[in-house]
Amino acid sequence: MPTLLRSAQSGSREIDTEEVARGVHIRRGVHEIATAHNGDAIANIGFIVGGESVAVMDPGGSLSDGEALRRRIRHVTKRPIRYVLMSHVHPDHIFGAGAFLQDDPVFVGHAELPSAIAQRAEYYRERLEEVLGAGRAGPIVQPTMLVNERAHIDLGERAIELRAHGVAHTDNDLSALDVETGTLFPSDLLFVQRVPSLDGSLKGWLRELKALGSLDLQRAVPGHGPASVNFAAAARKMQTYLESLLHETRQAIADGVEIDAAPDSVARSERDNWTLFDDYHGHNVTQAFKELEWE
Ligand SMILES: [Zn+2]
């Protein structure tokens, strides 16, 4: 009785992926905050198929998001899932990790990811379950392979270069480069369309963005936005936003503006350039203010 089987799986959803380069499959996230309806499937996630095995490039925003990605992988290839990259601590990127425990993969993260998970994941899990319902966020999974500066993994004649970044979007940002196709996975070091959210260092983020710009790239898969973009063009837009935030926050501090009032004046000219601006921009200004007020 297929109909009953389908309803027994209610809450789970099937996802589609786009092959943006040979063997690189991406599911695009929606530009929304987490809701019961979207199941926190709001980040771009995906996988790379190598000659021998598969690497998951962020496991998704909830257990059901991770399970849907896993079903999609099993539809595309039967090769074993050997690596699960966890790009940073934010729940929309890593709460799907529990769906892959059955594959016994190497969970890869920045050297600072374990402490960020220890400090925050339980809080994130509780908030996510308020939205999705009890038991639906997923188990907290810690990385089993830590990257200090650089590392690489091999999927079978397919090398993935890993780079642990200085404090930028967060203090635990890991990017990956699929060397064969020149595809960069900057995760949330690159936002497209959706307004960036600052949870690390504004000055550090500008620095890391510039460093990524020196790589020889064919395309990038941003943490949020289209499944594939031209890195240089997308990074320029991000840089414009971050530099407005930097310069106008500095000006507000110099003018004696209070921290609570700064969001009303800083970088307002960027408002029409980004979705969810009103949801995140004020927090970004507050973060920038705290970083810059003592410089
Ligand atoms: Zn993030």
Side-chain angles (χ1 to χ4, degrees):
M1 289 189 290
T3 316
L4 275 179
L5 264 176
R6 279 195 83 78
S7 65
Q9 288 183 347
S10 71
S12 66
R13 62 201 79 210
E14 299 314 314
I15 63 171
D16 215 347
T17 51
E18 179 188 340
E19 191 169 2
V20 300
R22 194 185 68 79
V24 179
H25 303 259
I26 303 300
R27 188 290 307 277
R28 184 178 176 167
V30 291
H31 290 322
E32 298 170 2
I33 59 167
T35 64
H37 180 70
N38 64 37
D40 202 25
I42 63 174
N44 290 343
I45 59 174
F47 57 98
I48 302 174
V49 183
E52 290 166 10
S53 65
V54 176
V56 174
M57 309 306 284
D58 269 350
S62 60
L63 184 60
S64 70
D65 198 25
E67 286 169 344
L69 178 62
R70 190 175 181 281
R71 284 193 299 276
R72 180 66 190 161
I73 295 170
R74 287 287 73 117
H75 180 74
V76 170
T77 176
K78 296 297 173 219
R79 291 178 192 158
I81 298 166
R82 208 152 278 159
Y83 297 95
V84 174
L85 264 72
M86 301 164 73
S87 66
H88 63 295
V89 71
H90 288 155
D92 52 327
H93 294 264
I94 63 169
F95 262 90
F100 297 93
L101 287 167
Q102 61 191 296
D103 300 294
D104 196 24
V106 177
F107 290 95
V108 186
H110 189 293
E112 295 298 324
L113 182 61
S115 64
I117 287 177
Q119 287 168 39
R120 293 183 177 197
E122 185 54 33
Y123 172 82
Y124 285 150
R125 200 186 58 76
E126 287 169 12
R127 297 291 84 74
L128 194 53
E129 296 209 337
E130 284 170 10
V131 173
L132 303 181
R136 289 179 175 262
I140 292 166
V141 176
Q142 280 282 11
T144 51
M145 171 183 164
L146 300 182
V147 181
N148 260 307
E149 290 183 359
R150 304 285 176 86
H152 85 278
I153 55 176
D154 188 354
L155 310 181
E157 291 174 27
R158 190 158 197 165
I160 311 295
E161 290 182 355
L162 307 169
R163 182 186 287 232
H165 292 268
V167 183
H169 170 61
T170 67
D171 72 357
N172 51 91
D173 301 312
L174 182 74
S175 71
L177 175 65
D178 175 40
V179 179
E180 180 181 306
T181 64
T183 305
L184 178 71
F185 293 78
S187 189
D188 278 1
L189 291 170
L190 186 66
F191 280 71
V192 179
Q193 299 162 346
R194 183 185 178 113
V195 71
S197 75
L198 174 61
D199 191 19
S201 162
L202 179 53
K203 288 192 280 187
W205 199 344
L206 281 161
R207 214 162 27 234
E208 296 300 330
L209 207 54
K210 200 172 165 193
L212 286 173
S214 68
L215 299 173
D216 185 21
L217 303 174
Q218 294 300 314
R219 66 189 66 74
V221 178
H224 300 270
S228 172
V229 298
N230 174 285
F231 179 79
R236 265 196 300 278
K237 287 186 184 152
M238 277 254 333
Q239 196 181 334
T240 301
Y241 174 79
L242 295 177
E243 284 180 346
S244 299
L245 194 56
L246 180 73
H247 296 136
E248 295 184 30
T249 303
R250 272 189 183 138
Q251 191 58 50
I253 292 166
D255 292 345
V257 174
E258 294 290 328
I259 190 167
D260 294 343
D264 298 334
S265 64
V266 168
R268 302 303 299 179
S269 63
E270 284 286 314
R271 188 168 187 271
D272 293 341
N273 297 339
W274 303 96
T275 63
L276 299 174
F277 185 91
D278 294 337
D279 292 276
Y280 293 95
H281 178 68
H283 180 71
N284 291 343
V285 176
T286 306
Q287 289 286 111
F289 199 105
K290 288 178 188 164
E291 179 180 342
L292 300 171
E293 66 182 326
W294 304 113
E295 72 175 4

